[in-house]
């Protein structure tokens, strides 16, 4: 036996080993790239409102994230052929009251991947988050409710399932300093439980003084979260006009430093919406953090026994004839109104308070993001996003497709960044972003919900991806998938990091 292998044959052995290992490495890479992505959206018109990308590309998704956007062929365990379809960030609805599965389904069919209850907020944040965990088709979240905190401070908690109280002492009377302290404490606890903002419906708590409103903005400012609010009043009669009401909350934002989001400026300001928008514009021009939203319908909807219909409501430009019951289409008379307003049973009522002409001016306005204010009984629950794409982008041509996507995804995501850094990964179709994606046919997308049939599903969304999971496939809801996750405010996030 030789004492040693010659150095030459040693080197040649090493070379062989190296060639073999390179071969296996190449084979391994081929296998990996063949299954590189969980999901590939192939050949769609990829649109990103932040970078203005608008090109035919393939999108590779892995572990809930957009990993690759490329013109190269990508392979995945599932490949969706998206040619002829728009691939865009999933729509983010900052203002969605209907949080049950029936509403989530119609939202998904309308292209929505995140729907948040921020206007008023739920009465119990922890309970809401617990109930939805693992049972949600799309992402969810809520604000901490001033309306509910006030009801508790007056020892008149909201009935189960309600977010608005019947008008009474808890809505109409001014609070004592002790009651305001109880509200502050309650809001703090609700923010600790994961609330994304302070939600206010000042029109539903007309007893709240200007100072109470400022005190609630102070809670938001201390906790570094925004205030989302339905303002105090509408109409032109002073005091109490829509201009005064918008000025009140802009003032509270200026005094406290809390970012402010004014909900549904279209329905609050109706005939004076352009003037209200000029107030928002002026506040922003002077450095205030104020944003707003609208929905593309001429009617609103609310609870008829709420304080919004306290005496004096007709001075705001609404008559009995403008009020309609959603289930039957019945228009109200004084007698019928009185009975429903005085009842402790909550009945929703549709309010025809705006003109098509005004709505058509508001939706294209560059400061206006789209939010639905959705709940069962009003077609905006199911149709808001498709309606903007059908009516304003396709038919009237007053909003470009990219601007519509910006109003429905990027702008709300940027607003949400005031509450959570997780929103930086949403509202964008970019590598590294969350895989919350809508794939739709821009030529046919349409709302079908009407005031007669408010839950009729939109058509034209072909695929919807939520956190990397397909929840709509070839135009249909995928059964038994619940990838929706909570978006949490800084109170809960820091508590969970401690
Ligand atoms: Zn409202």
């Amino acid at each position: 036996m030789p004492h040693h292998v010659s150095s030459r044959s040693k080197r040649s052995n090493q070379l062989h080993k190296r060639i073999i290992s390179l071969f296996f490495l190449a084979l391994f890479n081929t296998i990996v790239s063949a299954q590189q992505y969980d999901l590939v959206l192939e050949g769609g018109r990829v649109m990103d409102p932040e970078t203005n990308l608008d090109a035919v590309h393939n999108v590779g998704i892995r572990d809930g994230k957009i990993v690759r956007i490329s013109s190269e062929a990508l392979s995945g365990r599932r490949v969706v052929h998206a040619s002829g379809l728009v691939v865009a960030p999933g729509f983010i609805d900052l203002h969605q009251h209907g949080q049950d599965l029936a509403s989530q389904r119609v939202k998904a069919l309308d292209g929505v991947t995140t729907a948040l209850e921020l206007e008023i907020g739920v009465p119990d944040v922890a309970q809401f988050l617990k109930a939805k965990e693992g049972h949600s088709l799309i992402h969810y979240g809520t604000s901490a409710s001033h309306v509910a905190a006030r009801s508790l401070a007056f020892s008149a908690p909201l009935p189960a399932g309600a977010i608005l109280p019947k008008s009474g002492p808890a809505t109409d009377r001014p609070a004592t300093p002790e009651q305001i302290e109880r509200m502050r404490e309650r809001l703090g606890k609700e923010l600790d439980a994961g609330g994304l903002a302070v939600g206010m419906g000042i029109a539903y708590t007309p007893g709240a003084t200007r100072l109470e409103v400022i005190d609630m903005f102070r809670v938001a400012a201390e906790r570094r979260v925004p205030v989302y609010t339905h303002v105090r009043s509408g109409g032109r009669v002073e005091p109490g006009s829509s201009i005064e009401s918008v000025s009140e909350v802009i003032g509270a934002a200026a005094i406290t430093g809390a970012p402010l989001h004014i909900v549904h400026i279209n329905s609050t300001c109706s005939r004076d919406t352009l003037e209200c928008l000029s107030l928002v514009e002026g506040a922003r021009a002077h450095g205030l953090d104020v944003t707003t939203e609208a929905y593309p319908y001429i009617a609103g909807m609310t609870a008829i026994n709420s304080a919004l219909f306290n005496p004096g409501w007709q001075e705001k430009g609404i008559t009995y004839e403008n009020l309609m019951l959603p289930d039957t289409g019945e228009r109200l008379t004084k007698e019928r109104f009185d009975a429903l307003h005085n009842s402790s049973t909550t009945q929703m009522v549709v309010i025809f308070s705006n003109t098509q002409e005004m709505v058509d001016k508001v939706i294209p306005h560059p400061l206006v993001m789209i939010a639905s204010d959705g709940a069962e009984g009003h077609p905006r629950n199911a149709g808001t996003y498709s309606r903007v794409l059908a009516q304003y982008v396709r038919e009237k041509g007053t909003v470009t497709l990219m601007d519509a996507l910006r109003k429905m995804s990027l702008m709300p995501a940027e607003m949400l960044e005031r509450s959570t850094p997780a929103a930086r990964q949403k509202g964008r179709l970019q590598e590294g972003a969350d895989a919350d994606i809508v794939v739709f046919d821009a030529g046919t997308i349409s709302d079908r919900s009407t005031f007669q049939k408010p839950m009729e599903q939109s058509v034209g969304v072909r695929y919807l991806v939520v956190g990397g999971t397909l929840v709509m496939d070839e135009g249909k809801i995928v059964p038994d998938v619940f990838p929706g996750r909570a978006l949490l405010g800084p109170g809960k996030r820091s508590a969970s990091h401690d």
Side-chain angles (χ1 to χ4, degrees):
M1 261 176 85
H3 284 111
H4 56 86
V5 183
S6 78
S7 64
R8 173 183 261 189
S9 74
K10 209 179 201 174
R11 273 204 304 276
S12 128
N13 256 349
Q14 279 169 343
L15 195 65
H16 274 133
K17 275 184 192 157
R18 193 161 157 71
I19 287 167
I20 288 165
S21 71
L22 278 174
F23 171 76
F24 278 110
L25 189 67
L27 185 69
F28 179 72
N29 278 345
T30 309
I31 292 165
V32 167
S33 70
Q35 308 173 333
Q36 202 168 9
Y37 302 103
D38 301 335
L39 174 65
V40 170
L41 309 174
E42 193 177 75
R45 178 182 174 189
V46 176
M47 297 185 72
D48 175 50
E50 190 170 56
T51 60
N52 287 316
L53 170 70
D54 181 358
V56 172
H57 277 313
N58 304 313
V59 178
I61 294 159
R62 194 195 302 130
D63 297 333
K65 294 277 182 188
I66 298 170
V67 179
R68 189 96 174 101
I69 299 173
S70 170
S71 53
E72 292 162 24
L74 304 177
S75 46
R77 283 209 300 273
R78 171 76 199 273
V79 176
V80 161
H81 301 287
S83 66
L85 303 175
V86 171
V87 177
F91 306 144
I92 298 172
D93 193 345
L94 297 177
H95 189 164
Q96 172 63 21
H97 300 298
Q99 289 283 335
D100 57 334
L101 209 47
S103 282
Q104 286 200 333
R105 283 170 186 270
V106 293
K107 306 304 293 185
L109 286 150
D110 204 32
V112 174
T113 51
T114 300
L116 308 154
E117 162 62 90
L118 295 175
E119 179 198 27
I120 306 278
V122 299
D124 189 321
V125 172
Q127 201 180 65
F128 169 80
L129 294 173
K130 191 155 181 264
K132 291 194 75 76
E133 197 177 350
H135 301 281
S136 197
L137 199 57
I138 57 180
H139 302 310
Y140 54 92
T142 181
S143 55
S145 169
H146 163 251
V147 174
R150 194 174 212 275
S151 299
L152 277 181
F154 277 80
S155 305
L158 294 176
I163 59 164
L164 289 178
K166 175 175 164 36
S167 82
T171 62
D172 296 355
R173 286 195 192 149
T176 63
E178 293 72 31
Q179 284 171 321
I180 289 186
E181 194 44 44
R182 284 176 68 188
M183 289 178 220
R184 290 176 50 88
E185 278 169 22
R186 175 69 187 176
L187 287 179
K189 282 190 183 134
E190 290 292 87
L191 291 170
D192 283 342
L196 289 160
V198 170
M200 299 186 77
I202 308 173
Y204 299 103
T205 58
T209 61
R210 298 329 187 242
L211 189 56
E212 178 179 330
V213 170
I214 291 167
D215 277 337
M216 299 307 122
F217 271 69
R218 283 181 174 139
V219 174
E222 283 158 15
R223 306 294 296 251
R224 300 189 180 282
V225 293
V227 174
Y228 286 71
T229 183
H230 180 137
V231 301
R232 188 180 290 277
S233 188
R236 286 180 170 168
V237 177
E238 299 285 13
S241 69
S242 59
I243 299 296
E244 182 193 53
S245 302
V246 170
S247 303
E248 178 189 6
V249 291
I250 290 176
I255 292 160
T256 61
L260 165 65
H261 183 82
I262 298 170
V263 301
H264 53 47
I265 199 154
N266 53 314
S267 62
T268 290
C269 296
S270 57
R271 285 178 298 172
D272 295 320
T273 306
L274 298 180
E275 284 74 14
C276 287
L277 281 167
S278 77
L279 304 191
V280 174
E281 216 164 357
R284 291 172 63 89
H286 294 95
L288 292 181
D289 189 357
V290 184
T291 57
T292 192
E293 57 167 63
Y295 53 77
Y297 294 88
I298 58 167
M301 184 175 76
T302 196
I304 196 166
N305 63 1
S306 72
L308 199 112
F309 287 108
N310 279 1
W313 62 272
Q314 285 157 297
E315 290 166 22
K316 302 183 198 312
I318 313 166
T319 64
Y320 294 112
E321 251 302 290
N322 296 141
L323 305 181
M324 185 187 90
L325 299 188
D327 313 315
T328 58
E330 179 190 343
R331 296 281 176 154
L332 298 190
T333 59
K334 181 180 187 314
E335 292 67 38
R336 192 79 167 109
F337 171 86
D338 288 344
L340 293 168
H341 178 64
N342 295 325
S343 169
S344 54
T345 309
T346 298
Q347 165 69 53
M348 299 307 268
V349 65
V350 175
I351 313 161
F352 287 90
S353 58
N354 214 336
T355 63
Q356 191 61 50
E357 196 190 358
M358 181 55 73
V359 175
D360 291 350
K361 284 179 182 158
V362 172
I363 296 300
H365 192 287
L367 282 183
V368 170
M369 53 186 98
I370 305 301
S372 76
D373 195 1
E376 278 194 51
H378 193 299
R380 65 194 177 192
N381 195 37
T384 289
Y385 294 85
S386 301
R387 188 177 179 89
V388 169
L389 293 167
Q391 290 201 355
Y392 295 92
V393 177
R394 199 169 58 232
E395 288 160 25
K396 298 185 174 88
T398 51
V399 182
T400 66
L401 179 54
M402 190 65 93
D403 281 343
L405 299 178
R406 188 185 323 282
K407 287 169 176 287
M408 300 192 232
S409 58
L410 180 65
M411 286 170 74
E414 286 173 340
M415 181 56 210
L416 267 179
E417 287 168 30
R418 276 85 157 175
S419 300
T420 169
R424 286 189 207 130
Q425 267 70 56
K426 298 199 181 292
R428 282 102 170 158
L429 208 305
Q430 296 169 16
E431 291 179 357
D434 290 349
D436 296 337
I437 302 172
V438 58
V439 181
F440 64 94
D441 182 344
T444 61
I445 192 164
S446 297
D447 58 310
R448 293 195 306 174
S449 56
T450 62
F451 288 100
Q452 288 71 41
K453 289 187 169 179
M455 286 293 270
E456 207 72 7
Q457 303 169 350
S458 294
V459 292
V461 173
R462 302 297 300 157
Y463 302 91
L464 195 76
V465 184
V466 174
T469 299
L470 275 172
V471 305
M472 274 183 70
D473 195 346
E474 294 181 358
K476 294 198 173 63
I477 300 273
V478 178
D480 303 323
V481 293
F482 299 105
R485 298 271 172 84
L487 281 154
L488 300 174
K492 180 75 173 182
R493 283 200 320 278
S494 59
S496 63
H497 290 165
D498 286 348

